[in-house]
Amino acid sequence: MDMDIDTALGRIGGHGIHAGPHPGLDGLEGRVLTMIAERPARTTAMRATVAGAAFALLLGVGSAVYPVREARAVQMAPFGVPSPLAPSTLLLGAR
């Protein structure tokens, strides 16, 4: 099977091999460059980044300046308050 790929792609696209570029490509470069030039500045993103960095810096300095006086361990249940009637407690029996 001997087939020219340009001819096959031209038949799929509906254009002959010598049809030329698609008419929608006229002025495409100018439209793209205009859209790039009109793109708004990223001032909002920069402000949010600077605000987040400032908050993290203040939080770090604040935690170093005002440390917690006493640390206490608190027993916590990972899935809520432990029930006294849970199967694991009932199997232990009365002690």
Side-chain angles (χ1 to χ4, degrees):
M1 183 169 157
D2 219 9
M3 181 183 290
D4 183 29
I5 193 163
D6 290 329
T7 307
L9 289 175
R11 281 185 288 190
I12 291 173
H15 302 289
I17 193 164
H18 300 291
H22 190 275
L25 294 176
D26 290 337
L28 177 66
E29 183 178 349
R31 291 191 308 260
V32 169
L33 291 175
T34 302
M35 291 173 66
I36 290 172
E38 292 175 354
R39 186 173 59 178
R42 297 183 181 189
T43 57
T44 305
M46 185 59 120
R47 286 182 191 154
T49 302
V50 170
F55 178 72
L57 182 65
L58 288 174
L59 185 65
V61 169
S63 65
V65 171
Y66 300 110
V68 177
R69 292 188 185 140
E70 179 184 333
R72 291 181 303 203
V74 178
Q75 184 178 3
M76 294 179 59
F79 301 111
V81 179
S83 172
L85 299 178
S88 58
T89 58
L90 293 175
L91 290 176
L92 292 175
R95 288 190 171 191

